């Protein structure tokens, strides 16, 4: 059965319940390939929901944005928030709950087995003139794309988001209800990370200097990250001032490395930071490096276990002494 | 190259390495003057961002030193520090910062001689690398005194 | 931020600092730093006139922050804090720049040393301007002490504390107190009988109303801090109730299992059910569970039958742990004789007439396996060779240190041989003779006059030739190789740290010196203190020493351990963690990172609302700062080491001056 239909049926039931205040899902966008997040409160709004390869956002980001309309504190008091999550998104909820960012009992989690979402940058490059809302679905190994009245078929591998190609597990965890579909899971071999590590130090230095020099410090990466939700961000304060206000390579390097470090053992690799970056900085190439090292050094994986303590507040006496004099 | 005198910023825990560095002094072990010590109570106090900050603020190399594993004055602080700093060391190298620019060591209160050796080794290695070029370009905010 | 009024005081430390650092340059530099109102220098800042200089300036120039540029803060921080306090200034508005240990003493070139001193001084001025006044707190002390180790050091320390009126727990891992001193025959240089002078003290332990003896017990966990330690003690089952057993010994007659007698250095046997030695305290029997037929195989229980009336024996006794509150602790875990098997060339373990000094003690002891007769294989030895420095002053076995007692106990042994065997030929191989104590040189002289041949040199090998042992070595004074035949070779083994002390040291966070013994607080001025407040050292756990030194040190440790008990209050840490609830995410990272369980999540008031945030118990906080580094939002900060302060120091120290 079609995921959209199942989702709408669930939404109708859920939004009719007394204990649920609202539902965060995706609806058809108003422009090109952009599906958009929506917040529904009534059962008769259920038919606005969609689920397709255009549903790229990690909606769990909204759960910690308490100041936004329907999610303001006053409303949360009225009931649970239902949220639609893909496999990767669901792991963000695991981390958020483990660190008290949100309370699981205040949520109603609707999981969807996502077959992979498109890379918006790639699809927009392929169909540069899409203005009217387009539709994308996955048929077998190809995306069927209906755009400006014409239908095309493009192999999945050409347009799918890179993160979906190495998806650890598309089965959402810890859900209240799941819209089932094909399951797949695999081990990330981090081949791209290893390839970059194999390059000479100077080459890597040059690459990151170029990338971070282009950063305009719009903070979109931080704001789109479901796990960057401190009410006061330590990296843009004046006292203490870790990062200076100037937008240049040294400060940007500090900002991005400190942010990556804050996410070490927490980043669930939804890739939102990289998706929203207007400068196309490969932030996941940094985040995944840390994810790989954390796994290799400490056997730790973000969001793997709801009971696990945070990476940096635990230790094993026989953790590696790597490089210590 | 030979005239380059690097600046090494060292964060030392009060109980082991700072005491070990004091012992090096009491024992009159001579070592390179390039090292500048910042005392903290425990290596677990070191926020990894301090290390990059030190590099940006003018250090050519950074050293963090604490008690040997199992000998932390606060039981487990050095274990927590080790996790963070080993990972930090890997990340800096990945970002193109030479691994010799950031080192860690375990030096106990009785290892004055080891402290002198560590400082010598770290300083020599950074000398070979030359000056750190990633330094703050503009100073917008001077801490008012 | 209101601008601070900073005073900078540069110490010459006689010539210690002044010979390598240009004080005038430094003072001129300090005077030009922002916020500095006064910059002075003086010969000895820590002296009374030096401190008075600071107090006077605080009053006259309304200084509110002080920087002392001198030695290590580990040395004199308390001195200058007190000076500030007496001048009415908050003692935590102090920063020290260490230009002695970490500058003048380690860099000879005055140019570089002065440049480095400027950088350290500038960092200190930067930091002091950001320091906030902190408040000192006090908490009550549990007026009880614990002494770990029941040798002469522990016995003396426990008696001294108990005599001062404080309850004292004495924890001993073996079935009886007494330690190694109990095994000795005579003591040098006075030749007192060791047991005769020790057993009255052991009896005092048993009878003292303030002492609770926990024999056959081990410390397994220590929590808390000075004044308020919580110690877990494991009580091993001795299978015989020490409070009921009257040491009649009837039961032992029925025990058929023989084990090595460790009190007699393994030279004789005793039963699995035994009393360690006749004068044991507690005066009670004990069953070795590794040997007892019942505990091993589940059958026998004969001893229980014998003791039916008294019913002291309970073979089903279980190990259990107790938790004790104590205010201060003394480590008196002693030493372990060097294992002579680690010097295989000397033939120990291969030839039964090669023995250690400790075995010799038992052989010549009237209470030993031979009732004091010096017999080897039933015969009186005609030629006796002593080899000194076995396992001491020997880098090949990792012991660079001198064990301090072997020269004298070997002299004593030689004297005892002469006493028992007037015709024996006695040779002592030595490297140097160290007879440093009161009456020691005189005793050594006396022994030399008793036809004892001191040959300077090491023995490289001991081998058998016919029915004799041959000690091959070199007389370094004559520069000639020599071989000395022997019927008995006694190895003067050195002293090593007790193996069980290592783990215990980790529980108490004690540092070790390179020799493996516990490190004292300061080699000169804090000889019985440690890096852990409220924990003191007595006896050989701190380093090899003889009985008089051990007793003296035990008394000193007791006196130090009594201080907090007598004061009744201890100061808690001041540089504690503080939380800014507005920024706290209540993620609980700090709660998990705190080694002292000093942080918990709780509801705090924030304006009119309440919010969940981290809450610090300032009494439990030990000021490590682990919480501050794991906090993502910087909401929790260690006072005196805040992100703001440390970043400013990083900036100041990175600059060129």
């Amino acid at each position: 059965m079609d995921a959209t239909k199942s989702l709408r049926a669930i939404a109708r039931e859920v939004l009719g319940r007394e204990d649920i205040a609202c539902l965060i899902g995706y609806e058809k966008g108003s422009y090109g390939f952009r599906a958009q997040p929506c917040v529904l409160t009534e059962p008769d709004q259920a038919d606005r929901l969609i689920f397709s390869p255009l549903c790229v956002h990690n909606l769990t980001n909204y759960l910690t944005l308490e100041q936004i309309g329907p999610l303001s504190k006053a409303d949360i008091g009225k009931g649970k928030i239902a949220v639609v999550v893909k496999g990767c998104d669901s792991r963000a909820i695991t981390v958020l709950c483990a660190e008290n960012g949100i309370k699981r009992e205040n949520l109603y989690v609707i999981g969807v087995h996502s077959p992979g979402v498109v890379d918006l940058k790639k699809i927009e490059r392929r169909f540069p003139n899409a203005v009217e809302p387009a539709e994308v679905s996955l048929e077998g190994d190809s995306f069927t794309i209906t755009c400006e009245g014409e239908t095309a078929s493009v192999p999945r591998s050409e347009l799918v988001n890179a993160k979906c190609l190495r998806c650890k597990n598309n089965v959402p965890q810890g859900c209240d209800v799941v819209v089932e579909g094909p399951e797949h899971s695999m081990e990330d071999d981090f081949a791209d990370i290893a390839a970059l590590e194999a390059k000479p130090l100077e080459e890597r230095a040059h690459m990151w200097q170029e990338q971070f020099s282009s950063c305009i410090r719009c903070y979109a990466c931080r704001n789109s990250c479901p796990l960057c939700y401190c009410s006061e961000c330590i990296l843009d304060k004046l006292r203490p001032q870790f990062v200076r206000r100037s937008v240049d390579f040294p400060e940007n390097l500090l900002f991005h490395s400190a942010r990556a470090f804050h996410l070490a053992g927490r980043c669930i690799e939804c890739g939102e930071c990289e998706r929203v970056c207007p400068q196309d900085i490969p932030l996941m190439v940094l985040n995944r490096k840390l994810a790989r090292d954390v796994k290799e050094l400490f056997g730790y994986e973000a969001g793997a276990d709801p009971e696990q303590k945070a990476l940096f507040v635990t230790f094993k006496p026989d953790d590696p002494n790597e490089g210590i004099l | 190259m030979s005239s380059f005198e690097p600046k090494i910023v060292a964060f030392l825990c009060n109980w082991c390495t700072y005491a070990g560095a004091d012992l090096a002094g009491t024992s009159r072990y001579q070592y390179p003057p390039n090292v500048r010590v910042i005392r903290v109570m425990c290596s677990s106090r070191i926020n990894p961002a301090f290390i990059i900050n030190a590099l940006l603020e003018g250090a050519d190399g950074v050293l963090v030193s604490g008690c040997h594993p199992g000998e932390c004055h606060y039981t487990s602080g050095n274990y927590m520090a080790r996790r963070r700093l080993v990972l930090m060391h890997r990340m800096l190298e990945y970002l193109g910062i030479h691994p010799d620019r950031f080192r860690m060591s375990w030096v106990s209160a009785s290892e004055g001689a080891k402290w002198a050796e560590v400082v010598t080794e770290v300083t020599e290695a950074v000398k070979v690398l030359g000056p750190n070029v990633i330094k703050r370009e503009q100073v917008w905010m001077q801490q008012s005194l | 931020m209101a601008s601070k009024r900073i005073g900078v005081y540069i110490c010459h430390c006689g010539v210690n600092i002044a010979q390598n650092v240009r004080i005038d340059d430094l003072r001129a530099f300090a005077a030009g730093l922002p916020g500095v109102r006064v910059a002075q220098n003086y010969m000895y800042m820590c002296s009374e006139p030096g401190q008075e200089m600071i107090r006077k300036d605080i009053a006259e120039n309304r200084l509110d922050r002080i920087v002392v540029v001198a030695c290590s803060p580990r040395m004199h921080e308390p001195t200058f804090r007190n000076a500030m306090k007496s001048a009415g200034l908050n003692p935590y508005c102090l920063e020290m720049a260490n230009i002695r240990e970490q500058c003048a003493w380690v860099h000879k070139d005055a140019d570089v040393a002065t440049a480095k001193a400027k950088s350290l001084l500038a960092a200190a001025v930067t930091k002091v301007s950001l320091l906030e006044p902190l408040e000192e707190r006090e908490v009550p002390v549990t007026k009880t002490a614990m002494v770990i180790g029941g040798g002469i050091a522990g016995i003396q320390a426990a008696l001294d504390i108990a005599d001062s009126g404080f309850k004292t727990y004495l924890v001993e891992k073996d079935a009886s107190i007494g330690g190694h001193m109990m095994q000795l025959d005579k003591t040098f240089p006075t030749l007192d009988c060791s047991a005769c002078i020790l057993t009255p003290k052991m009896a005092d332990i048993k009878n003292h109303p303030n002492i609770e003896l926990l024999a056959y017990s081990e410390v397994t966990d220590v929590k808390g801090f000075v004044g308020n330690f919580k110690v877990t003690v494991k009580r091993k089952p001795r299978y015989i109730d020490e409070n009921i057993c009257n040491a009649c010994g009837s039961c032992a007659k029925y025990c058929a299992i023989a084990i090595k007698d460790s009190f007699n250095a393994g030279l004789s046997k005793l039963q699995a059910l035994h009393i360690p030695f006749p004068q044991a305290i507690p005066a009670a029997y004990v069953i070795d569970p590794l040997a007892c037929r019942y505990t091993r195989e589940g059958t026998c229980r004969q001893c229980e039958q014998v003791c039916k009336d008294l019913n002291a024996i309970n073979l089903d006794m279980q190990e259990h742990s107790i938790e004790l509150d104590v205010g201060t602790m003394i480590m008196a875990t002693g030493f372990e004789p060097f294992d002579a098997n680690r010097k295989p060339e000397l033939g120990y373990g291969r030839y039964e007439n090669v023995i250690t000094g400790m075995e010799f003690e038992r052989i010549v002891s009237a209470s030993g396996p031979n009732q004091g007769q010096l017999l080897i294989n039933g015969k009186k030895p005609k030629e006796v060779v002593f080899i000194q420095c076995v396992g001491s002053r020997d880098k090949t076995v990792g012991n660079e240190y001198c064990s301090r007692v072997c020269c004298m106990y070997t002299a004593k042994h030689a004297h005892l041989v002469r006493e028992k065997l007037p015709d024996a030929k006695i040779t002592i191989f030595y490297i140097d003779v160290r007879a440093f104590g009161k009456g020691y040189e005189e005793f050594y002289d006396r022994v030399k006059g008793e036809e004892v041949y001191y040959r300077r040199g090491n023995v490289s090998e001991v081998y058998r030739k016919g029915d004799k042992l041959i000690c091959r070595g070199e007389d370094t004074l004559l520069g000639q190789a020599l071989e000395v035949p022997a019927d008995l070779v006694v190895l003067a083994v050195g002293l090593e740290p007790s193996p069980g002390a290592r783990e215990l040291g980790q529980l108490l966070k004690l540092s070790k010196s390179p020799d493996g013994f516990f490190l004292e607080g300061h080699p000169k001025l804090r000889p019985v203190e440690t890096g852990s407040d409220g924990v003191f050292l007595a006896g050989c756990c701190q380093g090899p020493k003889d009985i008089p030194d051990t007793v003296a040190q035990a008394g000193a440790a007791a006196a130090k351990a009594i201080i907090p008990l007598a004061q009744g209050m201890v100061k808690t840490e001041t540089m504690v963690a503080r939380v800014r609830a507005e920024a706290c995410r209540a993620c609980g990272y700090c709660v998990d990172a705190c080694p002292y369980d000093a942080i918990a999540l709780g509801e705090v008031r924030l304006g009119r609302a309440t919010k969940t945030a981290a809450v610090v118990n300032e009494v439990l906080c030990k000021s490590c700062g682990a919480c501050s580094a794991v906090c993502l939002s910087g909401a929790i900060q260690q006072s005196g080491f805040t992100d703001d302060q440390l970043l400013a120091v990083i900036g100041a120290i990175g600059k060129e001056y």
Side-chain angles (χ1 to χ4, degrees):
Chain A
M1 180 150 115
D2 173 51
T4 299
K5 264 191 205 158
S6 312
L7 209 51
R8 287 175 181 174
I10 291 168
R12 239 185 310 278
E13 193 267 324
V14 162
L15 287 168
R17 280 169 51 171
E18 282 284 298
D19 61 333
I20 305 238
C22 65
L23 182 149
I24 309 171
Y26 305 93
E27 67 182 346
K28 197 169 179 178
S30 55
Y31 175 81
F33 294 101
R34 303 292 165 133
Q36 65 192 32
C38 61
V39 179
L40 309 182
T41 50
E42 305 302 329
D44 58 12
Q45 297 171 317
D47 285 345
R48 279 166 58 187
L49 286 182
I50 61 160
F51 192 82
S52 79
L54 295 180
C55 297
V56 293
H57 313 79
N58 182 348
L59 300 177
T60 63
N61 192 33
Y62 292 88
L63 300 174
T64 51
L65 298 177
E66 293 169 354
Q67 68 276 30
I68 290 199
L71 301 181
S72 69
K73 267 187 196 151
D75 286 336
I76 288 173
K78 287 182 200 155
K80 301 182 183 190
I81 301 171
V83 61
V84 176
V85 296
K86 305 186 286 290
C88 47
D89 308 339
S90 70
R91 289 188 282 276
I93 291 184
T94 307
V95 177
L96 281 167
C97 291
E99 60 186 42
N100 303 331
I102 45 178
K103 288 200 173 75
R104 182 62 183 81
E105 63 263 31
N106 292 340
L107 298 180
Y108 187 85
V109 182
I110 304 166
V112 185
H113 288 191
S114 162
V117 295
V118 298
D119 182 326
L120 287 175
K121 284 165 187 164
K122 283 184 191 160
I123 203 167
E124 284 170 355
R125 232 174 284 136
R126 188 73 166 258
F127 300 93
N129 300 318
V131 175
E132 285 300 309
E135 279 180 18
V136 179
S137 61
L138 186 68
E139 318 276 346
D141 275 339
S142 298
F143 287 120
T144 302
I145 298 152
T146 309
C147 160
E148 301 293 337
E150 287 180 35
T151 301
S153 178
V154 180
R156 177 179 183 267
S157 57
E158 287 178 26
L159 293 180
V160 77
N161 194 310
K163 72 170 180 179
C164 301
L165 284 173
R166 52 176 177 255
C167 178
K168 272 187 240 183
N169 193 348
N170 77 329
V171 179
Q173 61 191 29
C175 298
D176 293 292
V177 59
V178 177
V179 176
E180 297 199 0
E183 294 181 10
H184 64 259
S185 62
M186 61 176 287
E187 276 296 308
D188 189 347
D189 61 3
F190 296 100
D192 52 332
I193 306 296
L196 183 53
E197 284 173 338
K199 290 187 176 162
L201 188 83
E202 295 72 31
E203 207 172 306
R204 278 202 305 279
H206 184 73
M207 169 203 146
W208 288 113
Q209 174 150 16
E210 210 161 81
Q211 293 293 352
F212 290 146
S213 296
S214 76
C215 172
I216 56 171
R217 287 253 290 288
C218 64
Y219 299 115
C221 48
R222 181 188 72 190
N223 294 355
S224 68
C225 177
L227 294 166
C228 260
Y229 59 97
C230 294
S231 54
E232 293 179 15
C233 174
I234 189 94
L235 299 181
D236 67 9
K237 282 170 81 144
L238 291 172
R239 285 197 73 179
Q241 191 175 33
F242 277 92
V243 182
R244 298 255 166 98
R245 287 283 141 126
S246 50
V247 178
D248 53 26
F249 169 61
E251 303 303 331
N252 293 348
L253 169 79
L254 182 45
F255 173 77
H256 287 292
S257 53
R259 208 183 86 81
F261 225 80
H262 275 200
L263 287 167
R266 299 172 69 236
C267 172
I268 46 82
E269 300 171 45
C270 65
E272 287 289 84
C273 49
E274 196 171 280
R275 179 179 71 80
V276 300
C277 179
Q279 301 298 93
D280 289 341
I281 299 171
L283 293 166
M284 288 308 292
V285 174
L286 181 54
N287 289 335
R288 287 178 57 249
K289 153 75 175 170
L290 293 184
R292 203 276 316 267
D293 283 354
V294 160
K295 197 171 167 188
E296 190 178 293
L297 292 165
F298 314 118
Y300 190 98
E301 231 178 311
D305 171 9
E307 299 299 317
Q308 76 187 355
K309 298 259 182 219
L311 173 69
F312 290 138
V313 301
T314 47
F315 61 86
K316 294 188 197 116
D318 56 354
D319 278 342
N321 254 327
E322 196 176 270
I324 303 181
L325 296 169
Chain B
M1 183 62 85
S2 59
S3 65
F4 168 58
E5 288 296 339
K7 180 169 283 179
I8 312 291
V9 171
F11 296 91
L12 309 191
C13 86
N14 179 61
W15 303 99
C16 289
T17 311
Y18 196 90
D22 277 353
L23 180 62
T26 314
S27 318
R28 312 298 199 277
Y29 292 124
Q30 301 293 300
Y31 57 80
N34 309 60
V35 68
R36 303 279 187 273
V37 168
I38 297 176
R39 182 172 71 119
V40 289
M41 295 311 279
C42 177
S43 52
S44 66
R45 174 64 189 90
I46 305 303
N47 185 324
F50 289 163
I51 292 150
I52 308 183
N53 250 293
L55 289 171
L56 261 54
E57 292 283 4
D60 299 297
V62 179
L63 172 66
V64 174
S65 189
C67 308
H68 286 272
E71 295 179 6
C72 175
H73 185 77
Y74 304 102
T75 320
S76 52
N78 55 354
Y79 285 133
M80 285 188 282
R82 178 172 63 182
R83 273 207 163 182
R84 280 197 291 272
L85 299 175
V86 162
L87 190 65
M88 188 69 182
H89 191 250
R90 282 195 172 196
M91 183 175 82
L92 290 179
E93 185 177 3
Y94 188 70
L95 292 172
I97 295 168
H98 197 282
D100 284 351
R101 291 215 189 270
F102 167 49
R103 298 305 305 267
M104 267 169 290
S105 61
W106 307 133
V107 175
S108 77
S110 64
E111 292 176 325
K114 183 175 176 188
W115 169 247
E117 282 164 25
V118 166
V119 173
T120 308
E121 187 178 333
V122 170
T123 307
E124 290 306 317
V126 176
K127 257 187 198 175
V128 171
L129 295 178
N132 160 36
V133 292
I134 311 171
K135 291 185 179 163
R136 287 215 148 103
E137 289 160 11
Q138 289 164 289
V139 181
W140 286 91
M141 267 275 302
Q142 279 279 2
Q143 285 289 351
S144 57
L145 280 164
Chain C
M1 178 175 35
S3 91
K4 299 292 189 289
R5 304 178 64 89
I6 302 168
V8 177
Y9 298 88
I10 303 164
C11 181
H12 300 213
C13 195
V15 294
N16 280 306
I17 292 172
Q19 70 182 357
N20 285 350
V21 174
R22 294 193 196 97
I23 303 285
D24 290 339
D25 273 13
L26 203 56
R27 196 191 52 205
F29 171 76
L33 290 172
V36 174
R37 303 301 168 108
V38 179
Q40 301 236 51
N41 56 300
Y42 187 65
M43 192 59 94
Y44 292 104
M45 279 313 306
C46 60
S47 67
E48 181 46 36
Q51 294 182 48
E52 181 54 29
M53 197 175 200
I54 298 175
R55 287 193 290 258
K56 197 163 147 258
D57 282 351
I58 290 172
E60 288 179 3
N61 292 297
R62 293 181 294 115
L63 300 181
D64 57 7
R65 295 290 184 278
I66 301 294
V67 172
V68 178
V69 186
C71 54
S72 172
R74 292 174 56 85
M75 183 79 121
H76 272 308
E77 208 171 50
T79 312
F80 295 112
R81 289 220 162 119
N82 284 334
M84 289 163 68
K85 208 151 104 181
S86 64
L89 192 57
N90 185 286
Y92 295 90
C93 294
L94 167 76
E95 188 66 19
M96 287 187 75
N98 181 350
I99 63 161
R100 191 180 73 170
E101 282 86 344
Q102 299 189 10
C103 190
W105 276 349
V106 288
H107 312 310
K108 283 208 186 83
D109 184 322
D111 288 334
V112 295
T114 307
K116 177 170 172 178
K118 284 181 183 171
S119 169
L120 296 174
L121 189 156
V125 168
T126 304
K127 178 148 183 210
V128 88
S129 68
L130 295 171
L131 290 180
E132 296 294 336
L134 300 175
E135 197 188 323
E136 289 183 336
R137 288 160 187 265
E138 288 188 329
V139 291
V141 165
T142 306
K143 295 192 170 193
T144 302
M146 175 176 283
V147 178
I148 305 173
I152 178 60
I155 288 171
Q156 185 63 48
L159 287 173
D160 286 348
I161 301 172
D163 281 347
S164 313
F166 296 103
K167 161 126 191 163
T168 309
Y169 296 104
L170 177 59
V171 182
E172 166 57 47
K173 69 177 189 317
D174 288 335
S176 170
I177 56 171
H180 288 301
M181 182 174 168
M182 194 61 209
Q183 293 176 281
L184 306 181
D185 177 39
K186 301 283 189 299
T187 56
F188 59 77
T190 49
L191 302 174
D192 293 280
C193 157
S194 188
C196 312
I197 56 176
L198 180 60
T199 49
K201 284 189 182 289
M202 289 165 61
D204 288 350
I205 291 282
K206 182 183 159 195
N207 298 325
H208 205 297
N210 285 338
I211 293 180
E212 186 172 332
L213 173 59
L214 302 168
Y216 217 42
S217 302
E218 288 172 25
V219 170
T220 53
D221 195 21
V222 180
K223 293 229 155 47
F225 51 94
V226 55
N228 295 279
F229 291 110
K230 276 205 184 308
V231 186
T232 308
V233 178
K234 178 175 84 183
R235 307 226 55 195
K236 297 181 278 190
R238 67 189 288 151
Y239 302 102
I240 296 177
D241 188 328
E242 63 194 61
N243 298 316
I244 302 178
C245 175
N246 61 6
C248 68
S250 312
C251 51
K253 296 192 187 97
Y254 292 87
C255 184
I257 308 291
I259 58 168
K260 268 193 178 176
D261 181 350
S262 60
F263 179 73
N264 272 340
L267 296 170
S268 62
K269 303 255 178 196
L270 43 61
Q271 284 96 328
L273 189 166
H274 61 272
I275 189 160
F277 50 89
Q279 308 92 325
I281 298 288
Y285 278 67
V286 59
I287 293 174
D288 180 349
L290 296 177
C292 167
R293 185 173 290 159
Y294 177 72
T295 51
R296 279 165 53 112
E297 297 163 19
T299 59
C300 187
R301 302 193 92 140
Q302 279 214 35
C303 51
E304 272 183 337
Q305 290 304 312
V306 178
C307 195
K308 223 165 35 194
D309 295 338
L310 204 57
N311 202 16
I313 303 179
N314 171 10
L315 288 167
D316 299 318
M317 204 179 265
Q318 296 291 323
E319 176 184 305
H320 67 283
S321 287
I322 52 174
E323 199 179 78
L324 300 169
D325 292 316
V326 301
T328 53
M329 302 176 77
I330 292 180
M331 287 290 270
T333 49
F335 69 93
E336 193 65 26
F338 174 78
D339 176 7
N341 286 304
R342 281 160 62 195
K343 296 291 284 179
E345 65 273 25
L346 298 181
Y348 182 77
R350 197 151 24 117
Y351 309 124
E352 55 189 6
N353 42 348
V354 177
I355 63 172
T356 66
M358 190 54 94
E359 287 164 352
F360 183 88
E361 294 283 348
R362 295 313 304 151
I363 288 172
V364 297
S365 168
S367 67
N370 291 352
Q371 289 78 44
Q373 294 192 67
L374 181 46
L375 297 174
I376 300 299
N377 291 331
K379 283 192 290 191
K380 291 180 179 173
K382 293 197 177 72
E383 295 173 287
V384 182
V385 171
F386 292 91
I387 303 175
Q388 292 199 172
C389 291
V390 176
S392 311
R393 305 177 70 189
D394 184 350
K395 287 185 187 172
T396 64
V397 295
N399 292 343
E400 225 176 309
Y401 57 88
C402 166
S403 290
R404 297 177 95 238
V405 293
C406 331
C407 287
M408 292 313 295
Y409 81 59
T410 299
K412 173 190 78 182
H413 288 173
H415 172 80
L416 294 174
V417 173
R418 178 57 71 233
E419 215 173 61
K420 290 176 193 283
L421 308 170
D423 301 325
K425 184 178 179 225
I426 304 170
T427 309
I428 297 177
F429 283 95
Y430 71 102
I431 307 178
D432 300 287
V433 169
R434 295 179 168 178
F436 48 82
K438 187 168 180 171
Y440 291 8
E441 184 69 21
E442 296 91 321
F443 183 74
Y444 166 51
D445 238 22
R446 172 182 166 191
V447 172
K448 273 197 295 187
E450 293 174 338
E451 271 194 84
V452 171
Y453 299 101
Y454 272 85
R455 306 294 297 258
R456 191 176 200 274
N458 266 326
V459 171
S460 57
E461 189 186 5
V462 175
Y463 65 97
R464 179 174 277 163
K465 195 173 179 186
D467 57 355
K468 289 272 185 189
L469 292 173
I470 306 295
C471 303
R472 177 185 288 166
E474 188 197 1
D475 187 318
T476 55
L477 293 180
L478 300 175
Q480 86 191 174
L482 79 165
E483 294 197 329
V484 180
D487 302 305
L488 172 64
V489 175
V490 183
L491 307 179
V493 290
L495 276 49
E496 291 190 326
S498 190
R502 193 189 152 79
E503 258 174 71
L504 203 51
Q506 291 192 353
L507 281 180
L508 288 161
K509 295 137 209 164
L510 302 182
S511 303
K512 295 193 306 285
S513 38
D515 55 18
F517 293 95
F518 291 130
L519 183 68
E520 59 278 8
H522 185 276
K524 305 284 183 295
L525 299 175
R526 288 161 52 84
V528 299
E529 289 93 329
T530 66
S532 298
D533 282 350
V535 181
F536 305 92
L537 303 174
C540 289
C541 66
Q542 180 262 340
K545 49 183 70 63
D546 55 25
I547 295 166
D549 283 2
T550 295
V551 172
Q553 198 190 21
K560 293 286 182 185
I562 289 165
I563 293 172
L565 307 185
Q567 286 176 334
M569 300 291 276
V570 284
K571 285 201 177 80
T572 60
E573 293 291 338
T574 33
M575 300 194 169
V576 294
R578 298 257 163 80
V579 181
R580 212 163 55 78
E582 301 93 298
C584 178
R585 305 189 309 146
C587 64
Y589 285 3
C590 54
V591 176
D592 290 332
C594 178
Y596 299 96
D597 295 331
I599 312 174
L601 295 181
E603 295 298 313
V604 295
R605 285 200 71 79
L606 206 62
R608 283 191 310 194
T610 62
K611 156 174 193 180
T612 309
V615 179
V616 178
N617 179 336
E618 295 189 358
V619 171
L620 296 181
C621 175
K622 297 299 284 174
S623 310
C624 64
C627 51
S628 312
V630 296
C631 181
L632 296 184
S633 62
I636 191 163
Q637 293 285 327
Q638 181 193 2
S639 310
F641 294 90
T642 62
D643 284 342
D644 198 35
Q645 290 159 354
L646 288 171
L647 285 170
V649 170
I650 290 168
I653 220 157
K655 262 191 224 140
E656 292 299 328
Y657 297 99

